[in-house]
Amino acid sequence: MLRLVGALLVWSLCASGAHAQGRSEVGEGEAEPLITPPKLIRFVEADYPEGEEDDPSEVAVELDVVVGKDGLVTEATVARSGGEAFDQAALAAVRQFVFEPARKDWEPVAARIRYRYVFEMKAPPEELTTGWLKGTVLLAEDDSPAGAVVVEIMNAEDELVRDLVAGPDGTFIATDLEPGAYEVRISGGEYGDLTAKEQLAAGEVTQVIYRLGAKKKAAYQGFGATAVVDAPPREAVKRTIDKEELTRIPGTRGDALRAVEILPGVARPPFGIGLLIVRGAAPQDSEFFIDGVSVPLIYHFGGLTSVYNSYMLERIDFYPGNFSVRYGRRTGGILEVTTRDPARDRIHGVAEISVIDTFVTIESPITDKIQISGGLRRSLLDLIFPAVAPEDIGVRQAPVYWDYQFKLNFLPSKRDRVRISAYGSNDRLELLLEEAGGDDPAIRGQTEFSTSFYNNQLDWLRKLGDKAEQELAISVGPQKISFGLGDTFRLEGTFIQTYGRGEWRYQINNRVRLITGLDLYAAPIDLDYVGPQPESQEGGGSQQGSLAGQEQVIADVNTTVFRPGIYLETNADLGRIVRLILGLRLDYYSEISAFSVDPRLTTIFTVAEDMRVKVSAGLFSQPPEFQESEPTIGNPNLDPLKAVHLGLGWEYDALDGVRFGVEGYYKYLWDRPVTTPGGLDPFFINQGIGRIYGAELSINLRPPEGRQYFGYLSYTLSRSERKDGPNEPWRLFDFDQTHILTAAFVYNFPRNWEIGATFRLVSGNPATPVVGSVYDALNDVYIPVDGRVNSVRNPLFNRLDIRVQKKWTFQGWKLAVFLDIRNAYNYQNQEGIIYNFDFSQQTPLLGLPIIPALGVRGEF
């Protein structure tokens, strides 16, 4: 027989389109492209030609070989012959070679090489007894590579024989596998998991293409998409911001959570201060979650930046109404942030600095079962604010915020995943007001604001067989708030929040799934309060928040709030068209010694392959705010606030990459806590009601192939009204916005330029006119006399945001420079009215001017 020696002599890249374009010149400031040749990873011996054994001399055949992007030989021709018999034997063997493909700037490309095949007599080889599996993992939506997904290969005894991570191009190779049946398990994250059966034979390479998300129509979990929840769905409406677009929305400075503001049903808060106002509900009626655990806030002060680094997020899910019984104690909407597991392939990092803040993140595998990641951010506003603050404001502590994140991911077995997380946020501002405010003379002297929270979280996901799994999570951490306005108002509070959740999911059969769970919120509270008697937070007119002429009260609170809840949900497919989702939730509120029972129902009709209709109804309950139920300043005998949600929706995938959605909704509120007439004891009573109704239209643009652009258009028409007592008239909600129009578009141009814009046109917020004033001689202040509450509006709001980014790719790292301009044409939007001391003169209160944010980011 024979021994074969192969050697690469010459090679040249043949990337797609190279013959037509030639070599492009490298622009100034750009690195030369990094080029690596193919690498032979599977060699096949050729049969020595019959009749040639008598001549033991060495024979060589030189071949021109084209290696495709997938590492397989696509073409082979003889360049220098060694004889007809040897030529044919060499060609037959080379066509079975497998290579690691050539790469240009880390991207696989086709390549042409010269290969010298040498025939030499040798002892007969042993028979090949193993096989190979070569796979490529793609995304079903556009056939793009799935990237570094985890691939597990199990043998017939369900034992793990290979644990692999696919490359950036989605490829993986498992060598030297015993012949037989195997099960390939691919963990695709948001695109779902995939399991496939493969049969391997000795001496053969089995090549397979796997597509993730094939069971989802176009895998349409894109930014702003109104989509059915991952099977089985658990909400009538779920809008997701995909990780591909998380940091690319203009006007957000690359902050993923700021992008939530452009989704349908989300109203614009004044000055963009970071309040979440969902479908006409008050900000405190909605709740934030990070990895299933409730957090007190999601933005730093001013709403400039969120408290969790966007480069450590997997996705953001937004439920504007009719959400699952998994969520309770709220009547507005739910915003859930899912963080990303650390990288399993190698060390990665991101560092960025801009005029607003600077941050760094890093992630790395420790072992094949343990990975860690971390991030740290600090604002730079304290370097700028003293220079721009008005002369009558003394800056003792310029605004400073910082946050941190840490995660450890542990995979002790194929059925278990354990995550340990720690994250926190801290904000602080301290000013000295030398002169009192024109319309509130009581506000002067030292003004201080600080808030912080620190969560330490442990969660465990375990598969309890093929049909069941459990998920357990617990989080413990302190929250602190300190807020003072001179000598007239002070709030100091410390809360030790404990939040736990357990959920069990069981697939009864291929049509029915059962979900049951419990969650617990507990918080010892230590609170000191000095200020005016608290009143209703919304609908207070021009005197809302005013301290002038108010009588002070003092409250020293030491108590513990305990709120357990249990829930049960079933998802049933009634044939191929109807999916029914039934849920029931029971909650207890210790601060008011009350229970609530909330049934919910959603029905989804798949009327065509590309069209769905959704109908939903549900009951939602919410405890009173703390100041409303605390015995010394509120009423501990209040009942929970109640709301019923009704919804009707339609989705249509009109074209590849284009989705239309229409949602109609109605909400009715009752048992709203409102201030008693005259503010007398018991201070709050359940006599308020409300009604909210509207419609949302959305169009989502996502290319069916590649990701050169994405876009979004939405329009919301809504009305939100309140009634503060049986004999009171209906009035507008403080943040009622009749029209909300949002358009966003981002495009990737050649040479790594990206340009995008976001435009918003929104009705102005309602306002209460001041029709006169009364002089209070005792306190030497003028008290305004209000007209009808929220009977006028601020002018129409409009704003254009622009983002431009340029990237450079070098060997092993990337550099980006970006400019994010908020309010690009510097429009002077009116946010309210400022009055002089006796309310005889008024001046428009203007919103934020143009804010350009220039930054530099490096990634490796």
Side-chain angles (χ1 to χ4, degrees):
M1 297 294 289
L2 37 115
R3 177 173 63 87
L4 302 168
V5 180
L8 293 173
L9 299 179
V10 293
W11 60 274
S12 58
L13 292 178
C14 302
S16 178
H19 296 295
Q21 297 176 5
R23 178 176 176 178
S24 62
E25 297 182 2
V26 179
E28 185 178 353
E30 296 189 21
E32 290 283 351
L34 175 66
I35 299 175
T36 56
K39 179 182 178 182
L40 183 63
I41 58 176
R42 184 180 189 271
F43 177 82
V44 176
E45 292 189 14
D47 293 332
Y48 202 92
E50 294 182 5
E52 303 291 341
E53 294 89 345
D54 296 337
D55 184 5
S57 61
E58 180 180 277
V59 178
V61 179
E62 292 187 9
L63 305 171
D64 286 334
V65 180
V66 176
V67 180
K69 293 181 180 181
D70 57 359
L72 300 181
V73 175
T74 61
E75 181 183 340
T77 57
V78 177
R80 179 174 296 176
S81 175
E84 180 64 24
F86 288 102
D87 292 348
Q88 295 304 315
L91 287 170
V94 166
R95 287 168 180 154
Q96 301 177 63
F97 282 10
V98 178
F99 292 81
E100 174 70 26
R103 295 182 183 272
K104 180 178 180 181
D105 283 339
W106 309 105
E107 294 294 328
V109 295
R112 183 182 299 274
I113 62 174
R114 176 69 61 86
Y115 194 90
R116 186 170 184 264
Y117 211 111
V118 179
F119 291 79
E120 188 178 50
M121 291 294 296
K122 69 166 207 172
E126 296 182 1
E127 183 179 359
L128 292 176
T129 60
T130 61
W132 287 28
L133 175 63
K134 177 179 175 62
T136 302
V137 186
L138 306 176
L139 300 181
E141 60 178 344
D142 55 12
D143 271 357
S144 62
V149 296
V150 177
V151 181
E152 295 179 333
I153 302 177
M154 319 297 291
N155 62 16
E157 288 74 36
D158 201 32
E159 298 173 334
L160 181 66
V161 295
R162 292 290 190 279
D163 189 0
L164 309 170
V165 177
D169 57 352
T171 61
F172 67 89
I173 298 177
T175 62
D176 298 325
L177 295 171
E178 295 295 327
Y182 291 87
E183 182 176 89
V184 180
R185 300 174 181 173
I186 303 173
S187 300
E190 67 176 296
Y191 292 97
D193 299 339
L194 178 66
T195 300
K197 303 288 186 181
E198 304 296 350
Q199 186 73 33
L200 303 188
E204 295 182 1
V205 176
T206 300
Q207 183 180 359
V208 185
I209 296 177
Y210 303 95
R211 288 181 170 84
L212 292 175
K215 293 184 179 181
K216 294 181 183 178
K217 176 63 178 176
Y220 226 110
Q221 288 194 330
F223 117 143
T226 306
V228 178
V229 187
D230 295 342
R234 299 174 63 181
E235 282 79 23
V237 181
K238 171 185 177 182
R239 295 188 170 103
T240 298
I241 300 178
D242 184 75
K243 64 181 180 180
E244 294 296 329
E245 288 108 21
L246 282 176
T247 60
R248 299 163 60 193
I249 308 298
T252 65
R253 295 192 307 105
D255 193 291
L257 286 160
R258 290 299 309 277
V260 173
E261 297 175 4
I262 72 171
L263 298 181
V266 179
R268 186 194 67 85
F271 299 100
I273 57 178
L275 299 176
L276 184 62
I277 306 168
V278 182
R279 284 185 175 175
Q284 66 270 18
D285 294 348
S286 299
E287 191 164 12
F288 310 109
F289 289 84
I290 295 179
D291 288 334
V293 171
S294 174
V295 294
L297 54 88
I298 207 71
Y299 298 106
H300 291 289
F301 55 57
L304 286 174
T305 306
S306 59
V307 300
Y308 209 102
N309 194 291
S310 298
Y311 286 87
M312 301 180 70
L313 301 183
E314 180 68 22
R315 69 178 186 272
I316 300 171
D317 295 325
F318 172 57
Y319 309 99
N322 282 304
F323 40 83
S324 165
V325 292
R326 183 175 189 262
Y327 306 101
R329 312 183 190 99
R330 287 293 177 264
T331 58
I334 298 295
L335 180 68
E336 174 142 23
V337 176
T338 301
T339 63
R340 185 169 52 82
D341 285 341
R344 299 183 63 182
D345 55 346
R346 60 178 178 87
I347 187 170
H348 295 267
V350 180
E352 179 179 298
I353 184 170
S354 71
V355 297
I356 305 297
D357 56 30
T358 183
F359 72 81
V360 61
T361 69
I362 194 166
E363 54 186 312
S364 174
I366 303 300
T367 69
D368 60 342
K369 295 181 179 295
I370 299 176
Q371 308 87 38
I372 63 171
S373 62
L376 182 65
R377 169 168 44 201
R378 187 192 187 279
S379 68
L380 302 178
L381 296 175
D382 52 326
L383 305 179
I384 303 171
F385 187 78
V388 299
E391 296 180 357
D392 58 346
I393 297 181
V395 181
R396 291 192 173 185
Q397 170 66 61
V400 172
Y401 62 78
W402 55 269
D403 57 64
Y404 68 91
Q405 301 84 33
F406 171 79
K407 176 181 281 191
L408 184 147
N409 203 46
F410 177 42
L411 305 172
S413 72
K414 62 183 180 181
R415 296 184 179 273
D416 297 273
R417 184 200 67 190
V418 178
R419 297 190 300 189
I420 300 174
S421 305
Y423 53 90
S425 166
N426 186 290
D427 297 66
R428 183 172 179 80
L429 168 66
E430 187 175 333
L431 305 173
L432 182 63
L433 303 179
E434 298 178 358
E435 297 183 4
D439 57 359
D440 196 348
I443 300 179
R444 64 180 303 164
Q446 181 172 320
T447 297
E448 176 189 357
F449 171 77
S450 65
T451 181
S452 63
F453 78 91
Y454 310 97
N455 273 6
N456 304 286
Q457 182 172 334
L458 171 68
D459 61 79
W460 173 33
L461 176 65
R462 179 172 176 79
K463 295 182 179 179
L464 305 175
D466 295 335
K467 295 185 177 182
E469 63 182 11
Q470 75 170 8
E471 187 170 8
L472 305 176
I474 186 170
S475 174
V476 180
Q479 304 172 15
K480 295 184 178 182
I481 183 171
S482 177
F483 183 33
L485 293 173
D487 299 326
T488 58
F489 182 91
R490 178 152 296 276
L491 174 64
E492 299 278 352
T494 300
F495 312 80
I496 308 298
Q497 173 181 288
T498 300
Y499 189 92
R501 180 188 293 276
E503 187 170 285
W504 294 264
R505 300 178 282 269
Y506 181 67
Q507 191 75 38
I508 297 176
N509 54 46
N510 61 352
R511 291 184 176 271
V512 181
R513 191 185 196 204
L514 184 66
I515 302 167
T516 183
L518 58 89
D519 56 31
L520 169 66
Y521 172 89
I525 298 174
D526 182 7
L527 183 69
D528 294 319
Y529 173 77
V530 177
Q533 169 62 43
E535 297 180 346
S536 297
Q537 295 184 353
E538 190 269 336
S542 66
Q543 298 188 65
Q544 184 174 358
S546 175
L547 301 178
Q550 299 287 327
E551 182 178 349
Q552 286 188 333
V553 299
I554 299 175
D556 185 4
V557 181
N558 285 281
T559 188
T560 299
V561 173
F562 183 69
R563 298 173 181 169
I566 59 174
Y567 56 91
L568 177 67
E569 188 174 76
T570 182
N571 303 269
D573 290 329
L574 308 180
R576 301 181 61 181
I577 296 178
V578 181
R579 168 159 284 167
L580 192 66
I581 306 169
L582 287 168
L584 183 68
R585 182 179 178 94
L586 172 67
D587 282 290
Y588 175 73
Y589 315 100
S590 68
E591 65 270 37
I592 55 175
S593 301
F595 288 90
S596 65
V597 179
D598 298 333
R600 299 170 195 173
L601 167 67
T602 295
T603 306
I604 301 174
F605 302 91
T606 304
V607 296
E609 183 180 357
D610 53 6
M611 187 181 299
R612 291 158 297 280
V613 175
K614 302 169 290 183
V615 181
S616 58
L619 192 62
F620 299 80
S621 302
Q622 178 176 319
E625 294 300 304
F626 180 76
Q627 72 276 7
E628 296 170 342
S629 61
E630 205 287 317
T632 59
I633 55 177
N635 181 4
N637 299 314
L638 290 172
D639 294 325
L641 164 65
K642 291 286 189 176
V644 62
H645 291 198
L646 303 176
L648 176 64
W650 171 79
E651 289 179 355
Y652 177 43
D653 299 327
L655 304 168
D656 286 343
V658 181
R659 164 167 291 185
F660 293 91
V662 177
E663 301 285 341
Y665 60 89
Y666 177 84
K667 296 194 287 186
Y668 183 78
L669 318 176
W670 70 95
D671 283 345
R672 287 180 48 245
V674 294
T675 305
T676 57
L680 301 177
D681 191 11
F683 308 117
F684 295 94
I685 52 178
N686 292 108
Q687 290 193 353
I689 60 175
R691 59 191 182 193
I692 307 165
Y693 48 93
E696 300 162 354
L697 169 68
S698 62
I699 303 175
N700 192 323
L701 302 178
R702 174 76 67 80
E705 296 183 2
R707 292 181 179 268
Q708 293 301 314
Y709 65 88
F710 65 89
Y712 191 71
L713 175 68
S714 74
Y715 171 69
T716 301
L717 176 67
S718 68
R719 182 82 167 183
S720 181
E721 298 176 312
R722 303 293 186 271
K723 190 175 182 181
D724 298 325
N727 300 318
E728 297 294 325
W730 285 99
R731 61 169 178 82
L732 291 178
F733 171 60
D734 280 356
F735 300 110
D736 174 74
Q737 295 170 7
T738 307
H739 306 280
I740 305 174
L741 175 67
T742 303
F745 188 79
V746 177
Y747 192 87
N748 282 317
F749 289 89
R751 304 181 68 82
N752 293 324
W753 281 94
E754 182 176 273
I755 300 177
T758 298
F759 178 74
R760 299 201 80 186
L761 185 65
V762 185
S763 298
N765 284 323
T768 300
V770 174
V771 296
S773 63
V774 176
Y775 179 64
D776 180 356
L778 181 62
N779 294 289
D780 190 26
V781 296
Y782 283 84
I783 306 300
V785 176
D786 286 350
R788 186 177 176 183
V789 175
N790 291 342
S791 59
V792 298
R793 279 190 184 274
N794 288 313
L796 194 69
F797 174 93
N798 67 94
R799 191 182 77 202
L800 175 67
D801 303 327
I802 296 176
R803 181 178 176 86
V804 180
Q805 179 174 274
K806 166 64 177 173
K807 281 186 179 181
W808 293 267
T809 301
F810 302 95
Q811 182 176 353
W813 69 288
K814 297 179 181 179
L815 178 68
V817 176
F818 62 88
L819 176 63
D820 194 293
I821 306 175
R822 192 174 182 182
N823 193 7
Y825 48 72
N826 197 29
Y827 189 80
Q828 302 296 300
N829 289 292
Q830 179 178 318
E831 298 283 9
I833 294 175
I834 301 175
Y835 295 91
N836 67 341
F837 72 99
D838 63 356
F839 297 90
S840 61
Q841 299 178 8
Q842 63 183 41
T843 303
L845 176 61
L846 300 181
L848 297 175
I850 183 173
I851 302 178
L854 179 66
V856 180
R857 182 178 64 254
E859 302 178 45
F860 64 90

